[in-house]
Each structure stands twice: as C-alpha cells, then as structure tokens.
Amino acid sequence: MKYAFINGKILDGDKDMTVKDGLCILVDGEKITDILPLSEANVEGYKIFDLKGGYIMPGLINMHVHLAGNGKPQKKQRDNEKLVKTIMSSALTRAVAYKIVYGFAKDELMSGVTTIRTVGGLGNFDTRLRDEIACGKKVGPRILAANQGISVPGGHMAGSVAIAAHNDKEALDHLAECEKEKVDIIKLMITGGVLDAKEKGVPGELKMPAVMVKSVCDKAHEAGYTVAAHVESPAGVKVALENGVDSVEHGAKPNEEIINLFKKNNAFLCTTISPALPYALFDRSVSNASEVEQFNGNVVFEGIIDCAKAAIENDIPIVLGNDVGCPWITQYDFWRELYYFHKYVGVTNAFALYTATKRSAELAGLGNVTGSIEKGKCADMIVTENNPLEDLCALRNVKTVIARGKIYDNPKIKKNKRVSEELDKFL
C-alpha cells in the first residue's frame, strides 16, 4: 500500500528532536519515500491517513528481550531448568510454547516496539520466529536473535535460555550451533544475577572464566558476530571488556579502568533498570523477595544507574532494554524503561526517546534501516495522542503502530492489572 500520513506532529528520532508540524510522510510499501510540506505533496494514488494532531515518531527498539517470559509476579523462585526441560520434551509442548512466544512478540509490536533484540531464548524459537515475521507469515517486530545464550554449570539461566558449557570446547561447539541457526548475535552469561546470589552483597558473582569469554569472543568475531554479555558486578564488567565483549548488558558501578576499557573496545552499554527496581524498591510483602534478594536487588539497581550515568558523562554509547520476562516486567511495558532512564539517570525525555530509537538502531547495526523518520528508512513508526517530550507516559497507550509500512490501528493488549498498579507507584 501507499500511504500519506498527514496532520501529524513529527518527532524524527534525532538526539535533540523537536516537534515538526505541517509535514506529510509518504510511504510506499515498506519505505518512507518522502517527507515534505503538505502543500507540496502529490498524494495522488496514496491512501490518506489522518493523524488528527497525534505525535508520530520512530517505533521503539527494545535491546534486551527474553521472549519466553510473561513477567508474572512469583511468590517463590521457579526451577527454570526443570520447567524448560519439560516444555521442550515433546513436539506438542514445544508447539504450545512456540505459540506463546509468538504471542509475546506480538505484544511487543502492539505496544509500540517495532524492533527487538533477543538475548536468550528457548531452543531456536527466536530465529524461527524472526524468519516467519520477516517473510510475512506472522505479525511481530523485527527481531535480532541470539537464541540460547552460553552460560556455565550453576551459571545465570543455565539449562533454561542458555546452555551450560563445562569447558571452552563446549562453549565453542554451541557457538558453531548458533552459526547453523543463523543467529544475529551471541550472548554470554558471565556473572550471576540478583536471584542467583545466596548472600548479601554478592550479586553478579563472576561465573564464567575469562579464558572462555575470550575464546568465544575471538571465534565469534572471526565469524562476523557481535557478543553481548550479562554482567552485574564490576568484576564481571572488567572481565567482559578485557576479553572482547561488544555490549555490556545491565552493568555495575564503574571505575576509571572500566571506563577506559569501554572506550578502548568501542563497546556499548545496554541499560536495564526495570528488572532490578521491584527487588530494590518494592515492599517485600509485594515483591515476595527475601531480605537477601532485596539487598542484592538494591546493589544491582544502584550499580546499573551508576553505570548509565558514567557512560553518558564519558560519551560511552548507551541503549535501553527492559530484560522482559523477569518478574514484574511484561512484554508490553518497554515504555517504562524510558521513563526510568529519565527519572533515575537524569536524561531529558528527548534523549530517552532518541536512545530507544535512532541510537539503538545505529548500535544494533540497523542505522540505515530503521530508528528514525527520514526518507529511505523503513516505515517503522508509532503514534501517540500526547507529546512524549513533555511526559514519557504518553508512550503507555499507543494509538497506531506502523511496522514495515503495515498499519495496526488502535492495537489492543491484555494487561496485568496488578503489575500496572504496583509499578505505577514509581512513576
């Protein structure tokens, strides 16, 4: 279809974006073919889409997604390894799980996220779904997929959305399997997480040997892949950067050495404030966290914020992800990560929106494809009634999603009322 989007207020995705009025966005198929004053636009042959004064901007890009989780609050920790083993044990249960994963991806799109980067999933579900969406068989966001990550025995997510490599050979064997599955990125689980720690003050305990990190990074780079790494402690960040990781996922309070390593390696930071917030700030009667988990949640929460602040102060590239799938973090609430980035890190609303659109596209290797509203880019756009430059909560209810030129008007998503009520207390 050929569409002419008129009467919209454009936020183009640039770092210092301001509202642009009186322009017409012409879309032919998947591409934006022109943006020009409405008085100069030849709209013959185009279907007119009247935005009625709404704000149109690039679709959001969620750079840290696990499609296997729904974010439902838990009263106690699950045995994820046992659960995943059961899910993947038969063709029937795999088919059911794949359908659920697809539903979660669709929720991402309908909430205004037109591109996601998955960093640990069930089997080869993520690449399979990526390809079905790309060829039009299913409706969903553009996917950059890692499939299963690489962890170690007893390491973060080992046996669920990551394999447990006992040695370098097993890690490299999995890397070879990832190549066969045609993944887009490689994911390492270098440290533990908040819930992995059994004592106060030790979240993000280093789990993966430095030599394994280097072996995987070297081989992955030879094959043309970038490597993302889960790290939640200064020691983990240091090992990741010293041995070739391209993006630090989550982060921790950095020192001068870590800042220099980021710059030396041209690595970027993927900030994820959302998953630590409930453990750090919720009353334990709500989060169901133990005293140890709450203490460690606060350590990680503050470390992630400190890392993001330091990155901005030192011109280290930064993107946003919400680690969706963790308890309290749903597939439709990525907008909250932008809000937290503004609230806790202290950036402007415009910078938060830029970070989650144009900047993320650039660092994901998609800068010439998506991330901004400009001629030649893919027509990945969203429309809100209110101006997110004034209040990022405007992103909560997206009126229209345009993905690769296809329009989804008034998208509907089933939301968890309790999750919304508790998280809204921190807006």
Side-chain angles (χ1 to χ4, degrees):
M1 291 289 292
K2 297 170 72 173
Y3 290 101
F5 294 89
I6 65 170
N7 297 328
K9 298 171 183 176
I10 299 175
L11 303 175
D12 59 16
D14 282 345
K15 189 174 184 179
D16 300 312
M17 72 187 88
T18 55
V19 175
K20 297 178 180 178
D21 270 321
L23 297 175
C24 173
I25 303 171
L26 298 178
V27 172
D28 187 348
E30 295 188 358
K31 299 284 186 180
I32 298 171
T33 55
D34 216 341
I35 303 168
L36 66 173
L38 181 58
S39 60
E40 299 175 15
N42 179 5
V43 297
E44 185 177 351
Y46 287 81
K47 183 174 182 179
I48 303 297
F49 194 97
D50 191 342
L51 297 169
K52 300 176 181 177
Y55 294 81
I56 186 165
M57 66 211 76
L60 303 180
I61 299 176
N62 189 345
M63 290 284 279
H64 193 108
V65 172
H66 299 283
L67 280 176
N70 62 8
K72 184 177 179 181
Q74 301 171 14
K75 289 189 176 180
K76 62 179 182 178
Q77 284 195 57
R78 295 181 305 190
D79 184 338
N80 288 317
E81 184 175 0
K82 182 179 180 181
L83 177 61
V84 170
K85 188 175 182 180
T86 300
I87 288 172
M88 303 300 282
S89 64
S90 72
L92 176 60
T93 51
R94 286 195 300 274
V96 171
Y98 185 70
K99 184 176 181 181
I100 292 171
V101 163
Y102 164 53
F104 291 155
K106 191 173 181 180
D107 285 346
E108 289 276 350
L109 180 65
M110 296 305 158
S111 69
V113 177
T114 54
T115 299
I116 63 173
R117 174 176 172 258
T118 69
V119 284
L122 299 176
N124 68 345
F125 283 11
D126 293 354
T127 49
R128 178 181 162 195
L129 183 57
R130 174 200 65 193
D131 295 344
E132 290 190 332
I133 291 171
C135 71
K137 289 183 179 179
K138 283 186 165 55
V139 172
R142 177 185 294 99
I143 297 176
L144 297 176
N147 286 347
Q148 287 181 293
I150 302 172
S151 188
V152 294
H156 189 60
M157 307 306 288
S160 57
V161 297
I163 64 103
H166 292 78
N167 50 52
D168 290 5
K169 182 183 181 302
E170 289 187 7
L172 294 177
D173 285 347
H174 183 68
L175 174 60
E177 188 62 29
C178 287
E179 289 188 61
K180 291 178 184 177
E181 294 169 354
K182 293 183 169 56
V183 300
D184 301 293
I185 57 172
I186 303 299
K187 175 69 182 298
L188 297 180
M189 308 291 189
I190 292 177
T191 75
V194 172
L195 300 183
D196 299 325
K198 305 305 177 187
E199 298 177 11
K200 282 186 179 181
V202 292
E205 183 180 2
L206 187 60
K207 299 283 188 178
M208 183 173 285
V211 66
M212 183 181 288
V213 177
K214 188 175 190 318
S215 294
V216 173
C217 287
D218 287 350
K219 197 70 174 177
H221 291 157
E222 282 179 21
Y225 294 107
T226 58
V227 181
H230 165 102
V231 280
E232 292 188 349
S233 66
V237 175
K238 185 171 181 287
V239 166
L241 295 174
E242 283 180 334
N243 292 283
V245 162
D246 300 287
S247 71
V248 167
E249 311 291 309
H250 315 303
K253 186 175 179 65
N255 54 27
E256 187 176 349
E257 181 184 16
I258 285 173
I259 295 298
N260 289 335
L261 282 169
F262 264 110
K263 292 181 176 182
K264 179 183 176 183
N265 295 354
N266 293 317
F268 67 87
L269 173 68
C270 182
T271 292
T272 59
I273 299 170
S274 296
L277 185 145
Y279 291 103
L281 304 184
F282 279 16
D283 187 276
R284 284 170 47 211
S285 63
V286 176
S287 66
N288 298 308
S290 67
E291 184 181 354
V292 169
E293 289 167 348
Q294 185 180 56
F295 183 92
N296 289 333
N298 195 63
V299 170
V300 170
F301 180 68
E302 292 181 355
I304 288 171
I305 291 170
D306 286 343
C307 200
K309 287 180 176 178
I312 291 168
E313 289 170 4
N314 290 277
D315 294 321
I316 293 165
I318 191 167
V319 298
L320 300 178
N322 66 341
D323 206 359
V324 58
C326 291
W328 301 95
I329 315 304
T330 68
Q331 300 284 353
Y332 53 79
D333 260 352
F334 178 56
W335 68 272
R336 293 185 189 272
E337 187 67 31
L338 281 71
Y339 187 94
Y340 299 150
F341 190 47
H342 161 70
K343 179 177 180 178
Y344 295 108
V345 180
V347 303
T348 65
N349 288 357
F351 188 83
L353 190 57
Y354 155 75
T355 301
T357 55
K358 188 174 184 178
R359 193 55 167 146
S360 287
E362 291 169 347
L363 292 170
L366 298 171
N368 62 340
V369 176
T370 190
S372 59
I373 296 181
E374 57 185 298
K375 184 177 179 178
K377 293 285 185 75
C378 200
D380 295 332
M381 303 178 287
I382 59 175
V383 182
T384 61
E385 183 174 356
N386 298 316
N387 185 358
L389 299 188
E390 295 176 356
D391 184 355
L392 288 165
C393 290
L395 298 168
R396 179 178 200 144
N397 296 304
V398 175
K399 291 176 61 179
T400 306
V401 175
I402 303 104
R404 293 176 292 273
K406 293 184 179 179
I407 296 175
Y408 305 92
D409 209 16
N410 297 310
K412 299 288 188 268
I413 299 170
K414 185 178 180 180
K415 298 184 178 181
N416 186 312
K417 184 179 178 182
R418 182 173 177 235
V419 168
S420 296
E421 287 175 347
E422 295 298 336
L423 291 177
D424 283 356
K425 296 174 183 178
F426 298 90
L427 296 178

